[in-house]
Amino acid sequence: MTPATGTFTLPARVLHWLMALLIVAMLFIGVGMVESVSERHEWLLAIHKPLGIAILLLAIVRLAVRLRHPPPPLPADLPALQKLAALASHWLLYFLMLAMPLIGWAMLSAGGYPVMLGTSLRLPPIFPTSAVAFAVLRHLHEWFAMLLFLTFLAHMGAALYHGLIRRDGVLSSMVGRRST
Amino acid sequence: MQEELSVPARRKGNAGSWALIGAVVAVTVAAFGYVGGWLAPHRLTPEKLIDQFQHNAGTFAGYRRNHAKGVCVAGYFDSNGQALAYSTAQVFAPGRTPVVGRFAIPGSNPYAPDGSVPIRSMALRFAQPNGQQWRTGMNSMPVFPVATPQAFYAQLQAQQPDPATGKPDPAKVAAFFAAHPETAAFRAWAKTARPSASFATESYESLNAFVFVDAYGKRQPVRWRMLPQATDGGGGAGKAGDVDYLAADLAARLAHGPLRWQLQITLANPGDPTNDATKTWPSDRRTIDAGTLVIDATTPQQNGECRDINYDPLVLPAGIVASDDPLLPARSAAYADSYLRRTSEEAHLPGTAAAHTEKQP
């Protein structure tokens, strides 16, 4: 097989692994907090909001890095369908990591809640108060979270497939070590 | 290079790799399923609590799943500055904070007769100039029946009407109370409590403890109450046959002028329980008067501003934080689910309960 040439740039790799950790943690925090009536509900919610804004800011930086430094090409012998799946899933991940925090922020705004990132730090509303909009955005937040989780699973599975089965250098282009 | 391996060797190596990939994905899905409750069926969730309210009284689309019957009110809070020594919350600085509130009676049926329960509730949203909010839901009883969300859920289950009689099974209710001696204080109060003829004459208690935080970060556990200035005729229960007398009484009183309550903050002594809403604190605890709540307008809840407000007791401004009372996160989580259900019904989203025709004014 033809190994992919080159690796992602260092900023891209750092952002990828940091955000992977944050986003996966965020998905678990999200489903955990809405399914709990214990004090867990409270402290997970207190992490969820500032972490979401942190992910939004990192995603903006990451998008800029991605547009400035195109990723290394995929192996030339990768089937077209797999190339398409890789491209589509990457842009879906970018879309979701930007959309999820914005929907969460808009949803709280529509519900008339003060958007508190801590005990005193408050963000301004980004959507007019509307119960109907709240309901739609709240469901959208949940459906997109499930979509993000499924996309993450596919992404992780594909990365392991590249690293363990194809051994084509795609995984190592993000790990940063060139394999033989 | 891969190509140099024989086909069987590659297949053998790949089988292990495929198994590893499958295992990693499966473990991730299982962990997600457990945290998200799908694989933890015994966990008490907000959905279970709200479902139980619906089992007990039916589903009334568009309405809160508890304290469904109520009216919107509006006014302001005149702070005298005295609570500022204990909490940095802007609402306690001398001056006025606008309030949107709601009076209600407990229960999931928005058509329940006002005299069917001896409890009245007051929910308030204080909107501070800095954009932070203080939301509180208070009840006109001295203690809560139970101390934990699990006990509350068990109480709701015990009170579910028997399909045969349409009423709760007395044996199940008795068994619940026997298993929960912490309900004794509430039951003793309920024995003598009578439904009041007015929202205006009631005293409303926070029941749960909270913690005030001062400018130096010092924490002071507190409870609060709204003490009415109107003290006339709390005894009767409206004219015979009138089941909606509370809203009418409120409107009649407001036609003559605003109604007022004193906000009293009770300061816990060290060692007073903050995690048990079934226990009052000793009566000699220091109480400060933080100011006056003035209510000067009322609107039916169908089109009032309070309709779309979730009076989540954990929406708090800087200077007030939750205590370790386990009921607080449960209230917050359950209110959020109730709010999602009723706003989804308002939005006519697929899969939600259809609105009752009676809802339309």
Side-chain angles (χ1 to χ4, degrees):
Chain A
M1 292 189 193
T2 322
T5 49
T7 61
F8 283 85
T9 61
L10 182 65
R13 278 180 278 142
V14 169
L15 282 166
H16 171 272
W17 290 107
L18 173 64
M19 291 190 72
L21 187 72
L22 297 183
I23 290 171
V24 173
M26 193 64 166
L27 287 166
F28 278 84
I29 288 169
V31 292
M33 73 185 192
V34 296
E35 293 305 327
S36 170
V37 296
S38 74
E39 68 284 352
R40 228 178 24 241
H41 172 81
E42 198 187 337
W43 64 260
L44 289 177
L45 192 58
I47 299 171
H48 193 82
K49 288 183 273 186
L51 186 54
I53 295 301
I55 290 173
L56 176 63
L57 296 175
L58 287 170
I60 292 167
V61 173
R62 189 166 171 195
L63 186 64
V65 169
R66 165 82 182 223
L67 294 174
R68 222 182 140 83
H69 303 284
L74 288 165
D77 64 343
L78 193 67
L81 198 63
Q82 289 188 33
K83 274 189 181 160
L84 182 68
L87 194 70
S89 63
H90 290 170
W91 286 111
L92 181 59
L93 286 168
Y94 270 97
F95 168 74
L96 290 172
M97 69 180 87
L98 287 163
M100 283 296 285
L102 288 171
I103 292 170
W105 187 355
M107 165 194 119
L108 290 178
S109 306
Y113 295 98
V115 184
M116 304 292 287
L117 296 190
T119 51
S120 53
L121 181 59
R122 186 184 64 88
L123 293 181
I126 56 167
F127 205 91
T129 308
S130 154
V132 168
F134 168 82
V136 172
L137 291 165
R138 171 64 181 75
H139 286 288
L140 206 57
H141 198 60
E142 187 171 335
W143 296 330
F144 277 8
M146 293 306 146
L147 182 61
L148 179 52
F149 183 67
L150 292 177
T151 315
F152 153 68
L153 283 181
H155 181 78
M156 180 178 69
L160 291 173
Y161 165 72
H162 282 286
L164 297 175
I165 291 167
R166 278 186 58 93
R167 294 178 224 176
D168 56 6
V170 169
L171 178 60
S172 43
S173 71
M174 189 49 95
V175 175
R177 267 184 303 106
R178 299 301 308 141
S179 61
T180 50
Chain B
M1 296 297 285
Q2 301 264 315
E3 285 82 353
E4 288 160 17
L5 294 172
S6 67
V7 170
R10 268 178 69 187
R11 194 166 292 156
K12 195 178 169 198
N14 284 355
S17 297
W18 280 116
L20 179 64
I21 294 169
V24 169
V25 171
V27 167
T28 310
V29 170
F32 197 67
Y34 175 76
V35 172
W38 300 282
L39 299 178
H42 298 294
R43 187 187 311 157
L44 180 57
T45 62
E47 287 84 0
K48 281 189 193 170
L49 279 169
I50 300 302
D51 283 345
Q52 193 61 47
F53 275 111
Q54 294 181 176
H55 294 326
N56 288 17
T59 303
F60 297 90
Y63 288 91
R64 284 168 167 80
R65 293 320 196 235
N66 193 14
H67 294 250
K69 187 181 188 187
V71 289
C72 294
V73 292
Y76 54 89
F77 176 66
D78 254 335
S79 169
N80 58 25
Q82 286 188 47
L84 211 50
Y86 300 94
S87 168
T88 56
Q90 201 177 20
V91 63
F92 296 131
R96 218 166 247 204
T97 303
V99 167
V100 173
R102 187 172 179 271
F103 286 109
I105 60 171
S108 306
N109 183 346
Y111 312 106
D114 289 341
S116 58
V117 274
I119 299 165
R120 279 76 178 92
S121 65
M122 172 195 266
L124 301 171
R125 184 195 71 182
F126 301 76
Q128 295 185 167
N130 65 5
Q132 297 176 22
Q133 296 181 3
W134 176 25
R135 302 186 187 185
T136 176
M138 297 164 283
N139 283 285
S140 64
M141 58 204 199
V143 286
F144 200 68
V146 291
T148 65
Q150 286 72 21
F152 184 65
Y153 184 56
Q155 183 183 8
L156 288 179
Q157 286 181 309
Q159 290 168 340
Q160 181 170 341
D162 186 328
T165 61
K167 287 186 168 18
D169 179 347
K172 280 188 186 166
V173 175
F176 169 80
F177 284 131
H180 289 272
E182 76 274 20
T183 57
F186 175 80
R187 286 156 65 205
W189 171 81
K191 248 178 213 159
T192 56
R194 294 287 168 268
S196 76
S198 176
F199 285 125
T201 53
E202 295 290 277
S203 180
Y204 299 92
E205 310 274 346
S206 72
L207 300 176
N208 303 118
F210 292 81
V211 178
F212 276 10
V213 183
D214 74 9
Y216 305 99
K218 186 169 171 280
R219 294 164 62 90
Q220 168 63 56
V222 299
R223 279 172 172 160
W224 53 75
R225 107 168 32 93
M226 286 288 181
L227 196 67
Q229 284 189 357
T231 51
D232 60 291
K239 291 188 272 293
D242 181 4
V243 296
D244 302 317
Y245 53 84
L246 286 170
D249 168 84
L250 187 67
R253 284 174 191 256
L254 287 173
H256 289 103
L259 295 166
R260 292 182 170 81
W261 281 260
Q262 293 308 121
L263 172 57
Q264 294 192 328
I265 310 285
T266 301
L267 310 177
N269 276 8
D272 286 343
T274 53
N275 62 353
D276 190 344
T278 69
K279 291 190 175 75
T280 55
W281 291 336
S283 56
D284 65 347
R285 294 296 179 258
R286 194 170 159 217
T287 293
I288 53 171
D289 170 12
T292 308
L293 172 71
V294 180
I295 295 296
D296 54 15
T298 179
T299 332
Q301 64 173 345
Q302 279 82 353
N303 45 19
E305 198 180 348
C306 78
R307 183 191 67 184
D308 294 337
I309 297 175
N310 167 8
Y311 288 96
D312 176 344
L314 292 185
V315 173
L316 298 166
I320 308 177
V321 296
S323 69
D324 55 352
D325 187 330
L327 291 176
L328 281 173
R331 284 177 70 186
S332 183
Y335 288 23
D337 190 56
S338 166
Y339 187 64
L340 177 59
R341 292 188 197 199
R342 64 194 182 87
T343 54
S344 298
E345 288 152 4
E346 251 180 276
H348 303 290
L349 294 184
T352 59
H356 287 232
T357 48
E358 295 95 321
K359 197 201 160 187
Q360 306 306 325

